[in-house]
C-alpha cells in the first residue's frame, strides 16, 4: 500500500533527502524538543493524555524518540511505548539515542498501522497529521489500535496563524507566497481542524487547547520557523535570491533593534475512544 506520508516538506520524506539535509532535519527535531515553547505545548499534551503507570502507549510519528522516552518514564517499567516513524534514518538515530527505557522502535505508516485492534491504552501524535496524505485514514487507524476507553492526544500546527511584527508587512506577504508552498505543508490549518476530526471519529470527553507560541528573537524563532532560519540552504528556499536576502536582513535588523516578534498557534486536542 502506498504510504500516507508523501513528499511535501523535508519532514514528509526524510529518507529521500540528501545526507546533509537529513542531518539538518534531525538537528531541527532535537532543537525543537529543547525549545521552551515546544516544551510548553508538550506539557499541555501530557495533561490531556494523562498517561498512567503500566500503560502501553503508541507514539505515532516519533521522530528521534525523545517524546517516546519521556512517555516511557511516565508509564514506568511495567508499561511500554511503541515509537513508530516512517523514516528508517530517523528511527536509526532514535535507536542510537536509546536510554534503556521500555521503548520499542518500529518503522511504519500512521495511515496503515501493522498493529492489532485495541492493543494500546493511548496514543501521542505530535505534528504529524499536517504531513500525511489522508488525515481521516490516519486518525481512523489511531482509533482502531486504541482500546475502548483509551485516550488519543493529537498535536498539530495552525500555520495560517503565523504572524510577525517588526518587519514590513508587504515583504512578509511576498515571502509567504513562496514559504507556504514549500516550508509549510498543504494542510496548513491542520491544528484547528483536529477537534472536528475527532468529533467525526466518534471520540468523547474532548479537550481542545490552542497554545500560542511566542518567539521574541530571530534565534528563538529560527528553531521552529524555517523561513527565518539563515542556516536553511539557499536552494531550499525556492524564492528569488534577492527576496530571501532582503527578508533575512530585515529579520536580523528587527532582532538587533529588539522589536522582533513571531507568533504561531499549535493545537492540543484529545479525546476518549
Amino acid at each position: 500500500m502506498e504510504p500516507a506520508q508523501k513528499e511535501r516538506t523535508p519532514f514528509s520524506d526524510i529518507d529521500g533527502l540528501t545526507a546533509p539535509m537529513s542531518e539538518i532535519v534531525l538537528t531541527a527535531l532535537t532543537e525543537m524538543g529543547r525549545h521552551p515553547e515546544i516544551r510548553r505545548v508538550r506539557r499541555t499534551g501530557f495533561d490531556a493524555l494523562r498517561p498512567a503507570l503500566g500503560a502501553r502507549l503508541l507514539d505515532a510519528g516519533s521522530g528521534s524518540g525523545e517524546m517516546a522516552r519521556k512517555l516511557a518514564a511516565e508509564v514506568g517499567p511495567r508499561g511500554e511505548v511503541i515509537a513508530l516513524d516512517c523514516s528508517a534514518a530517523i528511527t536509526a538515530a532514535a535507536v542510537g539515542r536509546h536510554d534503556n527505557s521500555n521503548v520499542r522502535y518500529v518503522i511504519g505508516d500512521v495511515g496503515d498501522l501493522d498493529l492489532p485492534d485495541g492493543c494500546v491504552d493511548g496514543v501521542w501524535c505530535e505534528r504529524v497529521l499536517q504531513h500525511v496524505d489522508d488525515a481521516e485514514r490516519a486518525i481512523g487507524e489511531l482509533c482502531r489500535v486504541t482500546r475502548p476507553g483509551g485516550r488519543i492526544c493529537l498535536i498539530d500546527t495552525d500555520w495560517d496563524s503565523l504572524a510577525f511584527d517588526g518587519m514590513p508587512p508587504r515583504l512578509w506577504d511576498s515571502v509567504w507566497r513562496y514559504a507556504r508552498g514549500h516550508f509549510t505543508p498543504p494542510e496548513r490549518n491542520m491544528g484547528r481542524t483536529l477537534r472536528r476530526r475527532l468529533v467525526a471519529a466518534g471520540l468523547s470527553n474532548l479537550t481542545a487547547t490552542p497554545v500560542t507560541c511566542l518567539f521574541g528573537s530571530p534565534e528563538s524563532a529560527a528553531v521552529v520557523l524555517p523561513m527565518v532560519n539563515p542556516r536553511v540552504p539557499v536552494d531550499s528556499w525556492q524564492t528569488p535570491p534577492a527576496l530571501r536576502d532582503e527578508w533575512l536582513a530585515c529579520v536580523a535588523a528587527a532582532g538587533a533593534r529588539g522589536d522582533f516578534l513571531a507568533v504561531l498557534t499549535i493545537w492540543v486536542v484529545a479525546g476518549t475512544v
Side-chain angles (χ1 to χ4, degrees):
M1 181 176 292
E2 184 179 343
Q5 295 90 345
K6 300 188 72 174
E7 184 174 1
R8 295 276 170 76
T9 67
F11 291 98
S12 303
D13 185 20
I14 294 173
D15 289 347
L17 299 175
T18 62
M21 275 302 298
S22 181
E23 186 62 29
I24 287 173
V25 169
L26 180 59
T27 299
L29 290 171
T30 302
E31 291 180 348
M32 277 192 277
R34 296 170 179 166
H35 197 289
E37 293 296 84
I38 297 302
R39 288 183 173 182
R40 187 161 63 92
V41 171
R42 288 175 170 176
R43 285 195 298 271
T44 303
F46 264 81
D47 291 343
L49 181 62
R50 303 191 294 268
L53 282 173
R56 188 185 197 208
L57 303 177
L58 169 65
D59 182 359
S62 53
S64 59
E66 178 185 3
M67 278 307 304
R69 292 185 285 273
K70 289 183 178 180
L71 290 167
E74 292 291 316
V75 302
R78 294 187 179 180
E80 180 188 33
V81 177
I82 303 169
L84 178 142
D85 199 271
C86 66
S87 166
I90 292 297
T91 300
V95 171
R97 298 180 180 187
H98 186 52
D99 60 358
N100 295 318
S101 56
N102 201 6
V103 177
R104 176 160 58 95
Y105 303 92
V106 299
I107 300 169
D109 176 8
V110 296
D112 187 21
L113 295 171
D114 187 18
L115 295 170
D117 295 354
C119 67
V120 298
D121 301 300
V123 172
W124 178 279
C125 185
E126 179 187 346
R127 291 178 292 162
V128 172
L129 295 178
Q130 62 182 295
H131 298 294
V132 306
D133 215 27
D134 188 338
E136 273 70 30
R137 183 177 120 189
I139 290 172
E141 280 290 88
L142 299 180
C143 293
R144 179 185 66 78
V145 303
T146 304
R147 65 167 177 81
R151 195 84 171 151
I152 293 177
C153 179
L154 306 179
I155 300 174
D156 231 310
T157 312
D158 183 352
W159 283 106
D160 283 340
S161 72
L162 177 60
F164 291 95
D165 192 34
M167 277 78 67
R170 289 184 180 179
L171 178 60
W172 167 237
D173 289 344
S174 297
V175 172
W176 184 230
R177 284 197 294 270
Y178 293 94
R180 67 189 180 195
H182 187 69
F183 286 141
T184 64
E187 295 285 355
R188 293 194 307 272
N189 67 345
M190 178 58 70
R192 76 178 74 171
T193 73
L194 293 177
R195 184 182 182 280
R196 166 173 57 80
R197 294 175 191 272
L198 290 190
V199 168
L203 274 68
S204 61
N205 301 317
L206 293 174
T207 62
T209 307
V211 182
T212 300
C213 299
L214 185 150
F215 308 100
S217 72
E219 294 76 20
S220 173
V223 175
V224 178
L225 308 177
M227 64 286 294
V228 298
N229 189 345
R231 292 183 298 168
V232 173
V234 174
D235 58 3
S236 297
W237 278 76
Q238 303 297 313
T239 61
L243 179 60
R244 171 191 178 274
D245 294 346
E246 182 184 4
W247 167 251
L248 291 178
C250 284
V251 168
R257 292 192 305 269
D259 63 6
F260 175 92
L261 179 68
V263 291
L264 177 72
T265 298
I266 299 177
W267 285 80
V268 178
V269 179
T272 301
V273 175

